[in-house]
Amino acid sequence: MTEPASHVAVTRRVMAGNRVGDVCADEFVAGSKDGGRRSGGVLEVCGAVLTLLSVAFILFTFPLTAWMCAKVIQEYERAVIFRLGRVVKGRAKGPGLFWFIPWLDVIQKVDLRTVSFNTRPQEVLTADGVPLKVDAVVFYRVVDPSLWVTRVQNGYQATHTLAQTTLRATLGAHTLTDVLTQRTGITKRMEEVLYTASRLWGVQVERVELKDLTLPVHLQRCMASEAEAARKARAKMIVAEGEVKASRALKEAASGLPPVAFHLRYLQSLSSVQSSASIVVFSLPTELLDMLFSHQP
């Protein structure tokens, strides 16, 4: 069934209007981008002109403005310079004396020395379901001052929070036995995770150490009982091994001694035994003992 001619004409006009609107929108977006580029270029030119005028003013009034344009940075510090809101290209300034434009530049100092902090004690649930209270010590230092200033707002707080979450996640993936026996390996894995996450901030994590591990009281008692039982078993094993060795030594000595020497040794052993009210020692002839042992079935 054919559509009316008026309806077809209206549909074509609407489609043509949509195409015109799309073309206008594309031209507007392109124009806004071009306008942004032009405005950015104009701002860069203005910034360059202000910088040149400032340098010319400093050169003309050098004896008077020298003390205003000089800055001294310590050996362990670096200075990140923002000129008109942008970081000055190149490495951070320092150490020693450097020059800047006071009315255009903003200086932020960064300390490059190693910093240490303690993570607050927190409850961690190990892989085998044991609640463990643990804290750690983290050592780090800034290796890229520009990234440290521009990539993170509060680097110390961010590193502290990252260390706490990494500690909880790392210990939660290990059992209690692993935490107690593999502390070095766990700290190495924590260092790798912290280094991977914080290197984008210009930070290098140097060392991580588990400071204190606190177990529940009932678990401490169980572990103490287990250790005590293991020590008692080990002591009994040592005593038994000593008795076996002594018996073997006596057997070898008795087999190598002649009868007369064996009798003398027997008498010497009797003389070394002290009699008391509760112990009475009788000496029997060895011939009688031989007769008794020979008549046994």
Side-chain angles (χ1 to χ4, degrees):
M1 180 173 186
T2 60
E3 296 181 357
S6 60
H7 182 71
V8 174
V10 171
T11 304
R12 290 178 179 175
R13 291 193 191 98
V14 171
M15 294 175 63
N18 291 336
R19 294 193 190 97
V20 172
D22 295 339
V23 171
C24 293
D26 294 339
E27 291 179 354
F28 177 76
V29 173
S32 61
K33 291 181 179 179
D34 294 338
R37 294 193 189 98
R38 294 193 190 98
S39 61
V42 171
L43 292 177
E44 290 180 359
V45 171
C46 292
V49 171
L50 288 175
T51 303
L52 292 176
L53 292 176
S54 301
V55 172
F57 176 76
I58 292 171
L59 291 176
F60 286 133
T61 61
F62 180 73
L64 299 177
T65 57
W67 63 275
M68 296 176 57
C69 301
K71 190 75 173 179
V72 177
I73 295 296
Q74 301 296 331
E75 179 67 28
Y76 54 85
E77 293 178 335
R78 296 295 183 272
V80 180
I81 301 177
F82 290 86
R83 180 164 298 167
L84 297 176
R86 296 184 177 182
V87 178
V88 177
K89 294 181 179 180
R91 298 178 59 187
K93 303 297 181 180
L97 179 68
F98 67 94
W99 303 95
F100 71 104
I101 304 175
W103 48 86
L104 296 182
D105 297 344
V106 177
I107 299 176
Q108 290 192 10
K109 295 181 181 179
V110 179
D111 197 329
L112 301 183
R113 292 177 293 184
T114 300
V115 180
S116 64
F117 63 86
N118 297 328
T119 60
R120 61 182 180 84
Q122 55 184 331
E123 293 287 342
V124 177
L125 191 65
T126 59
D128 52 351
V130 178
L132 185 65
K133 195 172 184 180
V134 62
D135 59 349
V137 183
V138 180
F139 298 86
Y140 74 94
R141 65 185 182 91
V142 178
V143 295
D144 194 330
S146 299
L147 294 179
W148 179 252
V149 173
T150 57
R151 290 289 182 87
V152 61
Q153 182 178 4
N154 189 343
Y156 178 81
Q157 183 65 29
T159 307
H160 193 277
T161 305
L162 180 63
Q164 287 184 343
T165 55
T166 304
L167 176 63
R168 187 182 297 109
T170 304
L171 293 182
H174 294 79
T175 61
L176 178 61
T177 305
D178 295 338
V179 173
L180 296 177
T181 59
Q182 301 178 8
R183 297 181 63 171
T184 303
I186 293 174
T187 54
K188 290 296 182 183
R189 281 188 285 274
M190 287 184 60
E191 291 176 10
E192 294 174 358
V193 174
L194 288 175
Y195 172 76
T196 303
S198 62
R199 64 180 180 180
L200 300 178
W201 306 338
V203 179
Q204 180 180 353
V205 177
E206 296 181 340
R207 190 172 182 179
V208 179
E209 291 293 340
L210 297 180
K211 186 178 179 181
D212 191 15
L213 298 174
T214 304
L215 298 173
V217 178
H218 65 280
L219 188 59
Q220 293 181 9
R221 293 174 181 173
C222 293
M223 295 182 66
S225 301
E226 182 181 359
E228 184 178 1
R231 287 194 296 268
K232 288 182 178 180
R234 181 60 180 170
K236 292 180 179 179
M237 289 294 296
I238 293 174
V239 172
E241 291 176 358
E243 290 179 356
V244 170
K245 292 180 180 179
S247 301
R248 291 176 179 174
L250 290 175
K251 182 178 179 181
E252 293 177 357
S255 62
L257 289 176
V260 178
F262 182 75
H263 293 167
L264 293 176
R265 180 60 179 170
Y266 172 69
L267 295 175
Q268 185 179 3
S269 300
L270 290 176
S271 62
S272 63
V273 177
Q274 296 181 358
S275 300
S276 61
S278 59
I279 300 175
V280 179
V281 180
F282 294 96
S283 60
L284 297 175
T286 56
E287 293 81 0
L288 181 60
L289 295 176
D290 293 338
M291 292 175 60
L292 291 175
F293 286 121
S294 61
H295 284 83
Q296 288 183 356

